[in-house]
Every structure is written in C-alpha cells, then in structure tokens.
C-alpha cells in the first residue's frame, strides 16, 4: 500500500539549472486542469516550463491522494 513518486527540486524552480519557478497564480481547478491537458502551455512550448509545472502538479496530487487515502503511504521523493 505504498506509492512512490519520483519528484524533483525543479518542481519548486531551480534557476541555476534553467528551471523556472511554477506560476499558477489563481490556484483554481481550471488552472490545474489546463496544466494537465496542456492548454496552459499554449503560448510557450518551453520544455523546462512544462516539466516544472507537471512535476509540481503531480506532487500536489500525491499530497491530495495521501489525505484521501490515509491508510496508504504516498511518498514524493527526489532521487
């Protein structure tokens, strides 16, 4: 009953390596859905921007799942 997600420090932004900080200003459901369906990136096809936002949303999802399923262990780690 354990799920492990391979996260990354880049999910918080890592300017030294060229990874921008994720910018999800409103935090609305629509904004998070737009990251998941790709429409958030309509104006920019920068791979690093897509990467940090995807990792960010995935780590938040794991955190949400851990609250939803308290008898399961949900872990996000950076290898």
């Amino acid at each position: 009953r354990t799920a492990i997600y391979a996260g990354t420090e880049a999910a918080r932004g890592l300017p030294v390596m060229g990874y921008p900080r994720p910018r999800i200003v409103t935090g609305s459901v629509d904004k998070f859905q737009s990251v998941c369906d790709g429409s958030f990136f309509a104006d920019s096809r920068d791979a690093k921007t897509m990467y940090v936002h995807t990792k960010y949303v995935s780590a938040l999802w794991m955190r949400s799942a851990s609250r939803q399923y308290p008898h399961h262990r949900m872990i996000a780690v950076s290898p």
Side-chain angles (χ1 to χ4, degrees), residues 41-79:
F41 310 106
D43 296 336
S44 171
R45 291 291 178 193
D46 178 54
K48 288 184 177 182
T49 298
M50 289 186 239
Y51 179 75
V52 298
H53 283 83
T54 302
K55 287 291 193 174
Y56 177 68
V57 169
S58 298
L60 290 176
W61 179 83
M62 285 291 286
R63 188 172 180 184
S64 174
S66 71
R67 287 191 302 270
Q68 189 174 4
Y69 302 101
H71 301 299
H72 291 76
R73 186 181 314 180
M74 308 284 188
I75 304 168
V77 297
S78 179

